[in-house]
Amino acid sequence: NGFMTVLRMPEREVIIQLPHSFMPQFNPQNSNLIAFGQVDETIGVKDQMIVRKSDIHVLDLRTGKHHPVPGANTKDRVENLPYWSPDGKSLAFIRTKPGQMWHGSAGTLDIATVPYNDGSGGIAQGLEGASENGKSNFLPVYSKDGRWIVFTQAPKGFFSQIRSDLWIVPAEGGKARRMDCNSTLSESWHRFSPDGRWMAFVTNREDVRRPHIYLSRFHTDTGTCEPGIQIPVVSGINAHTHAFSWTKRFDWLDDYDLSH
C-alpha cells in the first residue's frame, strides 16, 4: 500500500514516515512541502493492482501534518501520481473516470491540473490533449521551464507494457503529439535533468523482460527530443531498472561512504 520515509541527508535521520503514500515529490520552490498520493486501499500488484480510493495530499515537514488538496480529492475519482509545476504553484496528476477504480491493466486514465493556492486548492481541469481521448494517460511531468507536460500514453491501464509511448502537450493543454525518441515497444517513467536539457526514460526496447534507462537530448523551444541512447552502468544485459530520479550534485555525495 506504499510507505513514504523522509530522511535528512547526509545524516540519514528519519524525519517522518507515512503509510499508504505513493509517488512523493518535493515542491521545487519549497522543500518543506511534499505532494503524494494518499491511498485508502490497494489490492494486488503491477498489472493486477486495484486502487479503490486515493487523493492528492501535501505534507508540510514543518508541522508533520498533511492535508488533501481541494480539487484533487473528489469522492468519486481515484487521484494519484502528483507532479509539481516548476513554480510550485500547480499540480498535475492522474485521475480515473467518475465512479471507476484504478486498475493496473484495465480502464483509462486522464491527466488533470489543479492550483495549489497555499493549500486551498481549486477547480481541477482535465488537461486537453491528455484526457478524454479513450486512452490511458499517466505520469505527467513538467519540463523545467514549465512550457510542456510530457506524459505516458497506453491503450489501457497503467502497467500495460505491450505498448506505451511518451507524448508531449503544452502545459496549458492543447494538441498532444507522440515524441520522436519512442521505439516500437514501451517507454515510460521519464524525468528531466536539473537543467532541463536532457530527458531520461525507461524502455524495454532491448529486452521486453528487462527495462533499461535511456537518455535523450530535449529541445524545449520546440518540445522535441533526439533519439535515445542507453545509459551505461544502470543498463545492460543483466539490468532491470525503472522509477529513477535525477539529483543535483551535493558535496557530501562524492564523499559518502557506500560501505554501510
Side-chain angles (χ1 to χ4, degrees):
N1 284 316
F3 202 97
M4 176 170 65
T5 301
V6 183
L7 304 175
R8 187 188 309 280
M9 298 298 288
E11 299 85 358
R12 294 196 292 179
E13 175 190 355
V14 176
I15 303 301
I16 195 170
Q17 290 182 310
L18 288 177
H20 311 295
S21 306
F22 274 18
M23 299 296 287
Q25 195 206 15
F26 286 96
N27 184 301
Q29 301 299 323
N30 184 349
S31 60
N32 287 307
L33 301 178
I34 303 176
F36 64 97
Q38 177 71 26
V39 178
D40 179 60
E41 183 182 20
T42 304
I43 301 173
V45 295
K46 292 190 176 180
D47 60 334
Q48 296 303 313
M49 178 190 72
I50 298 176
V51 178
R52 301 181 183 275
K53 177 63 179 174
S54 175
D55 297 318
I56 305 300
H57 280 226
V58 170
L59 166 69
D60 191 330
L61 293 176
R62 294 165 297 192
T63 64
K65 297 180 179 180
H66 60 92
H67 302 280
V69 178
N73 66 332
T74 53
K75 293 182 179 180
D76 62 343
R77 293 181 190 262
V78 175
E79 294 131 325
N80 211 301
L81 305 184
Y83 201 93
W84 292 100
S85 59
D87 61 8
K89 295 181 178 180
S90 300
L91 284 159
F93 59 96
I94 66 165
R95 64 182 184 182
T96 61
K97 305 295 184 188
Q100 292 186 0
M101 296 182 293
W102 177 15
H103 195 291
S105 61
T108 59
L109 295 166
D110 290 332
I111 293 173
T113 60
V114 66
Y116 181 58
N117 285 331
D118 294 324
S120 298
I123 298 175
Q125 301 286 345
L127 183 65
E128 182 184 358
S131 62
E132 303 296 335
N133 54 17
K135 302 290 186 179
S136 196
N137 311 277
F138 50 93
L139 291 173
V141 176
Y142 280 92
S143 62
K144 290 299 180 178
D145 58 5
R147 295 176 59 179
W148 308 96
I149 290 179
V150 177
F151 63 100
T152 303
Q153 186 179 99
K156 60 181 180 178
F158 178 70
F159 283 101
S160 54
Q161 298 299 336
I162 296 176
R163 177 68 183 272
S164 66
D165 292 319
L166 300 178
W167 284 65
I168 190 167
V169 66
E172 68 275 11
K175 183 176 176 56
R177 50 187 165 82
R178 183 177 180 269
M179 303 189 77
D180 293 336
C181 45
N182 287 290
S183 69
T184 58
L185 292 175
S186 293
E187 280 73 33
S188 190
W189 296 101
H190 46 289
R191 290 290 186 267
F192 286 102
S193 61
D195 63 7
R197 299 176 61 190
W198 301 90
M199 182 177 67
F201 56 90
V202 174
T203 176
N204 65 356
R205 65 184 67 182
E206 299 292 337
D207 185 335
V208 295
R209 300 164 300 175
R210 295 183 184 275
H212 293 163
I213 301 175
Y214 269 55
L215 183 67
S216 172
R217 180 75 165 88
F218 179 74
H219 303 282
T220 191
D221 54 338
T222 57
T224 56
C225 59
E226 301 289 341
I229 58 172
Q230 193 178 70
I231 298 181
V233 182
V234 295
S235 295
I237 189 170
N238 294 317
H240 184 116
T241 52
H242 65 91
F244 65 94
S245 183
W246 293 80
T247 182
K248 297 178 181 179
R249 180 168 294 280
F250 300 98
D251 293 338
W252 54 261
L253 187 61
D254 292 331
D255 300 329
Y256 192 64
D257 184 359
L258 298 177
S259 64
H260 295 296

